[in-house]
Amino acid sequence: MTIELFELGGPGIGARAADGVNGRRYSTFSWRSRMALAHKGLEYVTRPMQVSDKASIAFSGQTKVPILRDGDQVIADSFKIAEYLERTYPDRPSLFGGATGHSLARFFNSWADRQLIGTLFPSLMLENSRLLAPADAAHIRGQFERGGGKPLEEIAASKEKAIVAFGKLLDPVRSVLRGQPFVSGSGPAYADHILFSVVHWPRITTATPILAADDLVTAWCERMLDQYGGVARQEPVVQ
Amino acid sequence: MTIELFELGGPGIGARAADGVNGRRYSTFSWRSRMALAHKGLEYVTRPMQVSDKASIAFSGQTKVPILRDGDQVIADSFKIAEYLERTYPDRPSLFGGATGHSLARFFNSWADRQLIGTLFPSLMLENSRLLAPADAAHIRGQFERGGGKPLEEIAASKEKAIVAFGKLLDPVRSVLRGQPFVSGSGPAYADHILFSVVHWPRITTATPILAADDLVTAWCERMLDQYGGVARQEPVVQ
């Protein structure tokens, strides 16, 4: 039985412009699962869906992607998907490197979600929404305007400030990358997949440059793009 | 040969008031090494010194404590001390739990130093300096006034704001502690020692409460104080 990854699809851009409504894969959290599946060397098919259409994942009892279906197992939430893959495919390359690494990856996941994403992403959602189909754009706008308490245009106005704050939050990552090529050590593991999803998302959803060309995190991102047969390079970037 | 830990000593308070100039052990970074030594179950003696007196560590070629001397090995820097202990005493309880855990502890260390300590500690240094001998108090004042670009009293004026920001930075830790008793998993490891040093330092150097009684991090701190025969409970708190 082939593993299925349910994730967000959006209108294709660049080389995918002809691919219609599901030409893009732009969900931050799905990229964690994509990289984890690639790390484990597992074959899978993707099942793209629109943000505003929950019917295709009704089977899961969930309303959010990514969702992984592996035979009769259905797992929602990107971190739980990584844990499922680690538990179910222990003979494949490890995502966590043992119990302590697993716990610290859990911390890293929460740090990335609350501090990195929380700081940067809201101000980029206006640009992101412009690439989406109208129903999805409206959905995203409603979600972030409720969360931010003001129009998406006003949230986007603090973009430059958010980019500076985001860059500063990455200092502990740079400190690690001064001594080793990946956050997880000599090779990438799940903490790298988490961070990659956060840095990759602006690449593929906005034209705004987030990191300087000479940033250590930029060089690390290039190394991540080279991993797993260059799977993440196949996603067109916004220019 | 007994392991020696060179660390900061300060005038005793509370039950240690009679212990003279070296009655206290208040260095944040030394507490990481103390907890790591206790975790490994290693015997050691401490060699306290004043901030303003570098003569006693001249042998090391370093100007900062903690410094560990183990036979002919001399190691400076708390993270390098932890790495030395892990490498030299591999049959004792692990500090990192393998290569990935080691890498992620390095990230956690840098996160704690740059974000937690950088946010909270400067505004508490005025109170800390009041507990020190005059020469050390002057040294600390000079160091933080150069760093902050203003008098220690002005830096201390932003204390309430710093405490709120610090509390918010701990959100990813709380997220982890909702599912497990320690940052490192079912038991403590070096990432817990790092965080402990940051939360313990205000306990033993200022009368300012930093965390609410019902904070998950407070409950975790109590569990840390119970570890290793309650070694950290022996240090008197400021009241």
Side-chain angles (χ1 to χ4, degrees), chain B residues 44-84:
Chain B
Y44 67 98
V45 294
T46 83
R47 305 287 188 213
M49 57 165 277
Q50 311 300 295
V51 185
S52 48
D53 162 32
K54 307 292 188 194
S56 57
I57 54 168
F59 74 91
S60 69
Q62 302 291 327
T63 57
K64 284 185 181 165
V65 289
I67 294 169
L68 189 93
R69 183 153 66 182
D70 186 10
D72 60 358
Q73 298 293 306
V74 175
I75 303 98
D77 179 275
S78 58
F79 200 80
K80 289 199 177 107
I81 289 171
E83 290 177 315
Y84 169 81

Side-chain angles (χ1 to χ4, degrees), chain A residues 144-156:
Chain A
F144 280 81
E145 293 190 342
R146 274 191 303 278
K150 49 190 175 184
L152 214 48
E153 286 73 10
E154 273 184 46
I155 299 173

Side-chain angles (χ1 to χ4, degrees), chain B:
Chain B
M1 194 86 137
T2 309
I3 295 174
E4 296 165 286
L5 180 66
F6 294 81
E7 59 177 347
L8 297 182
I13 55 170
R16 300 268 181 80
D19 294 354
V21 70
N22 283 325
R24 297 167 63 225
R25 298 294 179 274
Y26 70 95
S27 159
T28 311
F29 299 97
S30 289
W31 275 102
R32 297 185 194 175
S33 302
R34 287 177 151 243
M35 297 300 267
L37 284 159
H39 186 88
K40 287 278 182 195
L42 294 165
E43 295 289 323
Y44 67 98
V45 294
T46 83
R47 305 287 188 213
M49 57 165 277
Q50 311 300 295
V51 185
S52 48
D53 162 32
K54 307 292 188 194
S56 57
I57 54 168
F59 74 91
S60 69
Q62 302 291 327
T63 57
K64 284 185 181 165
V65 289
I67 294 169
L68 189 93
R69 183 153 66 182
D70 186 10
D72 60 358
Q73 298 293 306
V74 175
I75 303 98
D77 179 275
S78 58
F79 200 80
K80 289 199 177 107
I81 289 171
E83 290 177 315
Y84 169 81
L85 295 175
E86 187 76 343
R87 190 168 65 238
T88 310
Y89 302 99
D91 298 336
R92 306 267 182 151
S94 177
L95 292 166
F96 298 128
T100 309
H102 183 165
S103 287
L104 296 184
R106 183 175 285 134
F107 166 80
F108 195 89
N109 197 63
S110 185
W111 173 74
D113 290 353
R114 287 165 183 268
Q115 297 182 352
L116 298 184
I117 290 184
T119 296
L120 179 65
F121 280 30
S123 68
L124 298 178
M125 294 316 293
L126 179 64
E127 284 170 89
N128 176 50
S129 71
R130 287 183 185 142
L131 294 166
L132 300 182
D136 278 14
H139 184 99
I140 291 281
R141 177 179 286 273
Q143 189 185 349
F144 279 82
E145 292 190 343
R146 277 192 302 279
K150 50 189 172 184
L152 215 47
E153 285 74 10
E154 274 184 44
I155 300 172
S158 62
K159 190 171 71 173
E160 293 310 319
K161 213 187 239 179
I163 290 171
V164 171
F166 175 79
K168 205 166 140 54
L169 287 172
L170 288 173
D171 273 348
V173 170
R174 292 186 191 100
S175 166
V176 170
L177 293 177
R178 262 176 221 114
Q180 57 193 52
F182 295 95
V183 176
S184 304
S186 55
Y190 195 64
D192 294 273
H193 304 158
I194 296 165
L195 183 64
F196 178 73
S197 76
V198 177
V199 174
H200 185 50
W201 184 84
R203 290 181 70 244
I204 60 173
T205 64
T206 84
T208 303
I210 305 299
L211 297 170
D214 63 352
D215 194 315
L216 281 174
V217 182
T218 302
W220 162 88
C221 184
E222 290 297 316
R223 289 193 286 277
M224 288 304 291
L225 288 163
D226 290 337
Q227 296 297 307
Y228 318 127
V231 60
R233 283 208 195 276
Q234 293 159 27
E235 193 66 25
V237 302
V238 178
Q239 282 171 330

Side-chain angles (χ1 to χ4, degrees), chain A residues 167-191:
Chain A
K168 206 165 140 53
L169 287 173
L170 288 173
D171 273 347
V173 169
R174 292 186 191 100
S175 167
V176 170
L177 293 177
R178 263 176 219 113
Q180 58 194 50
F182 296 95
V183 177
S184 305
S186 56
Y190 195 64

Side-chain angles (χ1 to χ4, degrees), chain A residues 54-74:
Chain A
K54 307 294 187 191
S56 57
I57 53 168
F59 74 91
S60 70
Q62 302 291 326
T63 57
K64 285 184 180 167
V65 289
I67 295 168
L68 189 93
R69 182 152 65 182
D70 187 9
D72 60 359
Q73 297 294 307
V74 175

